[in-house]
């Protein structure tokens, strides 16, 4: 029964991520047609990430008490409404409001679906299940980027309208065809996770493995966001490619993620130490992104682009697997904290990249390489600390 439910959720995740990614290839066109400054692509991405940061643990902790399904449905429908407002708005101020709402509402689905996968997986199979979740997410991103680019080729607003209607259909689908995954809800008074908003010493020990993982999740999401938030605008404004080709370029990284998360990650999880694997993956990400941005030799650039697209998607499911092992009866809360770390990295990555882009169009990619180096060094220190402790 759980196996069938897991497959069903993975299938819905593919459909939902497809729809969630419709607008990405047409957003640079929206910015250009409304004559907004170039740094707005970073600001809009950051505003959505702020909403995600604040509400990710909130939705996750509430789902531990109230169940998962209603928060999945709420997230999908809410994101559709917010995206419709975003796509039809004319001023930067109103667009900014809808961007924050998009982050607040979409993360209800994103954070809780990870908890659903944890609910449906045994401890032994969790890494594989989360790798498949990452793969279906990437498949959706690739499909959605291509579909959105073609649909919005003549008028970007069409993409946002279809995105809204699709979210309604998917919400109904979740209601009709999925079941609650949380077998035992938390009892007693509902305690909403708000520690991430309080200006006090964190409850997480950042010298522990869990603390190190959450800290480096933030750094690695600065790296991935530096790439993801910049590449669409780079293709549209620097390379002058049409919206359809922008969607195709945006789908290359997700296609790489599909392949590695279906065929590479499950084998890595079964054969190798997760922490050592994560260190190698992040080191290769840093090097390949740096060479891709810095080198002018086309052969060298081509080789390291391929390496980058292979290794970049490997980190997230490894992180999810390692962090999920700390979850007992609070998987929603822990996955929410992880998602907040991701969102914080996305805020910093998108804002910094938006302003760096105005100085040099490849600076955001070099910046992302630097934060990956920092994450790698922190994890190496943690690995050495673990070896000393176990000796």
């Amino acid at each position: 029964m759980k196996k069938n439910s897991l497959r069903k959720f993975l299938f819905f995740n593919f459909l939902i991520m497809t729809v969630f990614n419709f607008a990405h290839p047409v957003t640079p066109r929206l910015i250009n047609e409304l004559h907004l400054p170039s740094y707005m692509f970073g600001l809009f991405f950051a505003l959505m990430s702020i909403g995600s940061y604040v509400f990710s643990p909130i939705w996750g902790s509430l789902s531990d008490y109230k169940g998962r399904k209603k928060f999945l449905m709420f997230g999908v429908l809410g994101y559709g409404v917010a995206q419709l407002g975003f796509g039809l708005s004319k001023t930067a101020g109103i667009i900014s409001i809808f961007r924050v709402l998009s982050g607040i509402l979409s993360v209800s689905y994103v954070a809780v679906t990870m908890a659903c996968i944890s609910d449906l997986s045994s401890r032994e199979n969790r890494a594989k299940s989360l790798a498949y979740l990452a793969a279906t997410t990437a498949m959706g991103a690739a499909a959605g980027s291509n579909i959105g680019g073609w649909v919005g080729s003549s008028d970007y607003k069409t993409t946002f309208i279809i995105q809204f209607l699709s979210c309604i259909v998917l919400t109904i689908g979740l209601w009709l065809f999925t079941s609650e995954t949380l077998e035992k809800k938390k009892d007693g008074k509902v305690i909403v996770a708000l520690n991430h908003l309080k200006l006090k010493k964190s409850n997480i020990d950042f010298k522990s493995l869990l603390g190190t993982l959450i800290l480096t999740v933030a750094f690695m999401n600065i790296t991935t966001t530096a790439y993801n938030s910049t590449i669409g605008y780079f293709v549209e404004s620097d390379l002058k490619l049409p919206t359809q080709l922008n969607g195709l370029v945006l789908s290359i990284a997700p296609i790489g993620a599909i392949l590695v998360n279906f065929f590479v990650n499950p084998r890595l999880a079964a054969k190798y130490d997760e922490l050592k694997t994560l260190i190698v993956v992040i080191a290769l990400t840093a090097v390949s992104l740096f060479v891709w941005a810095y080198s002018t030799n086309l052969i060298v650039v081509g080789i390291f682009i391929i390496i980058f697209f292979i290794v970049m998607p490997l980190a997230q499911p490894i992180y999810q697997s390692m962090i999920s092992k700390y979850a007992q009866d609070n998987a929603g809360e822990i996955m929410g904290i992880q998602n907040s770390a991701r969102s914080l990295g996305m805020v910093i990555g998108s804002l910094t990249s938006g302003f760096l882009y105005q100085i040099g169009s490849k600076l955001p990619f070099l910046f992302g390489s630097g934060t990956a180096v920092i994450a790698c060094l922190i994890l190496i220190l943690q690995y050495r600390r673990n070896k000393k402790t176990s000796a």
Side-chain angles (χ1 to χ4, degrees):
M1 181 66 72
K2 279 191 173 184
K3 193 172 184 180
N4 289 334
S5 294
L6 179 61
R7 288 172 178 169
K8 193 178 293 184
F9 273 98
L10 290 172
F11 177 68
F12 265 103
N13 187 65
F14 163 68
L15 296 178
I16 290 166
M17 288 296 106
T18 297
V19 172
F20 274 22
N21 282 274
F22 277 179
H24 289 172
V26 299
T27 299
R29 186 170 176 181
L30 178 151
I31 293 170
N32 289 332
E33 288 194 13
L34 295 179
H35 305 292
L36 301 175
S38 60
Y39 66 80
M40 294 302 290
F41 80 83
L43 179 61
F44 289 157
F45 202 101
L47 290 171
M48 184 174 176
S49 302
I50 289 171
S52 297
Y53 168 74
V54 173
F55 275 84
S56 185
I58 293 175
W59 300 135
S61 60
L62 284 173
S63 77
D64 288 333
Y65 289 92
K66 303 294 184 180
R68 315 292 194 206
K69 184 173 176 177
K70 62 186 69 176
F71 291 97
L72 296 176
M73 294 168 57
F74 175 70
V76 174
L77 182 60
Y79 183 68
V81 172
Q83 284 295 98
L84 183 66
F86 168 41
L88 300 184
S89 298
K90 299 288 187 181
T91 64
I94 300 299
I95 291 174
S96 298
I97 293 171
F98 280 111
R99 284 279 77 192
V100 175
L101 285 173
S102 291
I104 290 172
L105 297 169
S106 65
V107 80
S108 179
Y109 172 81
V110 173
V112 174
T113 198
M114 287 191 287
C116 289
I117 299 302
S118 293
D119 294 339
L120 295 169
S121 306
S122 66
R123 189 178 181 89
E124 294 75 21
N125 291 329
R126 193 167 292 166
K128 182 185 291 187
S129 298
L130 289 168
Y132 290 153
L133 177 68
T136 55
T137 297
M139 289 170 67
S145 294
N146 277 290
I147 293 170
W150 283 99
V151 169
S153 59
S154 58
D155 185 353
Y156 69 82
K157 293 178 185 176
T158 306
T159 298
F160 289 97
I161 293 170
I162 291 178
Q163 187 176 43
F164 166 66
L165 296 174
S166 299
C167 283
I168 294 175
V169 173
L170 287 171
T171 302
I172 296 171
L174 286 171
W175 175 52
L176 292 175
F177 300 113
T178 63
S179 303
E180 177 57 53
T181 64
L182 187 63
E183 293 180 353
K184 185 179 179 182
K185 299 175 185 178
K186 274 189 174 182
D187 297 323
K189 183 181 177 181
V190 175
I191 300 175
V192 178
L194 295 173
N195 286 333
H196 63 302
L197 304 178
K198 297 176 182 178
L199 297 176
K200 67 175 186 179
K201 186 177 179 180
S202 174
N203 293 328
I204 297 174
D205 177 11
F206 283 101
K207 291 184 178 180
S208 69
L209 179 57
L210 176 61
T212 299
L213 291 171
I214 290 175
L215 178 63
T216 55
V217 160
F219 278 107
M220 282 307 295
N221 273 273
I222 294 175
T223 298
T224 55
T225 302
Y227 171 80
N228 290 331
S229 68
T230 306
I231 190 65
Y233 197 84
F234 180 82
V235 169
E236 177 90 13
S237 299
D238 278 54
L239 302 183
K240 307 296 183 184
L241 297 179
T243 303
Q244 298 96 316
L245 286 179
N246 196 353
L248 182 61
V249 171
L250 291 178
S251 71
I252 292 175
I255 289 170
I258 295 166
L259 297 175
V260 299
N261 281 302
F262 269 126
F263 300 111
V264 179
N265 237 328
R267 289 168 174 78
L268 289 177
K271 292 185 177 180
Y272 300 103
D273 177 82
E274 286 182 314
L275 182 55
K276 287 197 288 187
T277 302
L278 187 60
I279 290 170
V280 172
V281 165
I282 292 175
L284 288 172
T285 301
V287 172
S288 58
L289 188 58
F290 176 83
V291 174
W292 175 76
Y294 187 76
S295 178
T296 56
N297 185 301
L298 291 179
I299 296 176
V300 172
V301 168
I303 292 170
F304 280 91
I305 284 177
I306 293 170
I307 294 172
F308 176 71
F309 287 139
I310 291 172
V311 298
M312 183 178 70
L314 289 171
Q316 183 178 338
I318 298 174
Y319 270 120
Q320 289 174 347
S321 172
M322 295 179 74
I323 291 173
S324 71
K325 290 174 182 175
Y326 289 88
Q328 300 296 325
D329 60 346
N330 61 338
E333 182 178 353
I334 287 184
M335 289 304 186
I337 291 170
Q338 181 204 203
N339 216 60
S340 272
R342 293 179 61 203
S343 299
L344 183 61
M346 289 162 69
V347 172
I348 297 170
S350 54
L351 275 177
T352 306
S353 297
F355 288 105
L356 284 175
Y357 186 91
Q358 293 192 302
I359 302 171
S361 60
K362 287 195 172 182
L363 284 179
F365 306 118
L366 294 172
F367 169 64
S369 174
T371 55
V373 169
I374 294 171
C376 187
L377 293 174
I378 292 172
L379 288 169
I380 290 171
L381 290 174
Q382 180 62 48
Y383 179 74
R384 291 179 175 176
R385 193 181 296 128
N386 288 354
K387 286 190 70 175
K388 287 182 180 179
T389 303
S390 60

